[in-house]
């Protein structure tokens, strides 16, 4: 009976580690996609130190889970106590790191409010100056998502005008409607847009557009994170039980 229980635990351990292996592969893929994606995210990530760090942390965590899942599978099948102990210690460190990251994200969630982004935009945005990283990033976001400012074009009414542009231009070029939402896309009517003609502008704020675009993916990412934590917890339990059961 004890041998059957150990054998069952071994294969359950293998199964859990296989899911960890797949989870690591998914995180690795998402991290690579965020860093190399050509549709504007790469510029956003590069411009924001927090996102830049987060993308590489995701990449590193994915690679580590990928490796640990592989080692856990090998340790379970071969009944190697050294590999199992190595797996348990590192999966525990990863589990605690992910839990800490989730707690910090919850604590600092107020930094992602509409008011925070509006304040930062009005403080640092330099309109069509693409040599400035902050402005270039915002322009990429507005072009990619066909939106304007955080709340709408009214966010730019209190900003100073570009001294090289005509005074009547109250709207950044990035807020103007394009036939194709890329930097190379042709403007529908650039001149009237810059003068404030609403039907040639993207009137919706980027905060709402992006929130609606990513709402489904945020819940999916949260569910995936909870699933990964649960799998890691069970994997640690089985690893220690299997470690103690191996003669």
């Amino acid at each position: 009976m004890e041998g059957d229980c150990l054998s069952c635990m071994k294969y359950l351990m293998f199964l859990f580690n296989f899911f960890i292996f797949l989870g690591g592969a998914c995180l690795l893929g998402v991290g690579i996609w965020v860093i190399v994606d050509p549709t504007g995210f790469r510029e956003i990530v590069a411009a924001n130190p927090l996102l830049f760090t987060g993308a590489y942390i995701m990449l590193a965590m994915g690679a580590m889970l990928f490796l640990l899942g592989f080692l856990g599978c090998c340790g379970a099948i071969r009944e190697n106590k050294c590999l199992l102990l190595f797996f348990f210690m590192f999966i525990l460190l990863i589990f605690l790191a992910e839990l800490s990251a989730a707690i910090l994200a919850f604590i600092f969630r107020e930094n992602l409010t509409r008011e925070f982004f509006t304040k930062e935009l009005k403080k640092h945005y330099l309109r069509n100056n693409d040599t400035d990283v902050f402005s270039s990033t915002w322009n990429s976001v507005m072009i990619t998502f066909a939106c304007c400012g955080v709340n709408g074009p009214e966010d730019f009414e209190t900003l100073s005008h570009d001294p090289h542009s005509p005074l009547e231009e109250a709207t950044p070029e990035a807020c103007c409607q394009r036939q194709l939402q890329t930097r190379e896309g042709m403007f529908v009517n650039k001149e009237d847009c810059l003068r404030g003609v609403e039907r040639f502008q993207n009137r919706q704020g980027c905060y709402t557009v992006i929130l609606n675009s990513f709402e489904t993916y945020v819940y999916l990412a949260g569910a995936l994170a909870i699933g990964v934590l649960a799998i890691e917890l069970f994997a640690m339990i089985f690893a220690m039980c299997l470690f103690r059961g191996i003669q």
Side-chain angles (χ1 to χ4, degrees), residues 81-226:
K81 296 185 73 171
C82 182
L83 283 177
L84 287 173
L85 184 60
F86 175 83
F87 167 81
F88 176 84
M89 296 301 296
F90 273 86
I91 208 73
L92 177 62
L93 290 175
I94 292 173
F95 179 85
L96 293 175
E98 290 173 344
L99 200 58
S100 300
I103 294 171
L104 287 174
F106 179 79
I107 292 173
F108 292 105
R109 68 190 185 282
E110 66 271 10
N111 288 339
L112 299 178
T113 61
R114 184 188 297 269
E115 292 73 21
F116 172 79
F117 285 116
T118 303
K119 179 182 176 182
E120 290 297 302
L121 178 70
K122 292 183 176 182
K123 183 178 179 181
H124 300 292
Y125 185 69
L126 301 177
R127 293 184 175 271
N128 306 318
N129 185 353
D130 281 339
T131 59
D132 176 69
V133 175
F134 184 89
S135 303
S136 176
T137 299
W138 261 105
N139 288 336
S140 294
V141 170
M142 292 190 289
I143 292 171
T144 301
F145 290 95
C147 56
C148 187
V150 178
N151 308 287
E154 62 272 14
D155 289 344
F156 302 104
E157 291 176 359
T158 58
L159 295 181
S160 59
H161 291 279
D162 187 337
H164 301 292
S165 300
L167 290 178
E168 66 269 18
E169 293 184 3
T171 307
E173 290 183 6
C175 289
C176 296
Q177 292 182 7
R178 299 169 185 251
Q179 296 177 4
L180 183 64
Q181 290 307 132
T182 65
R183 285 184 177 271
E184 294 74 28
M186 296 290 294
F187 291 99
V188 175
N189 190 326
K190 179 179 174 181
E191 290 74 18
D192 286 344
C193 166
L194 295 178
R195 292 189 180 94
V197 180
E198 294 185 1
R199 65 193 181 100
F200 298 118
Q201 297 176 344
N202 296 314
R203 302 293 301 175
Q204 195 167 12
C206 294
Y207 189 88
T208 301
V209 172
I210 295 176
L211 198 64
N212 292 338
S213 299
F214 286 97
E215 186 175 13
T216 303
Y217 300 104
V218 167
Y219 289 120
L220 181 62
L224 179 63
I226 293 172

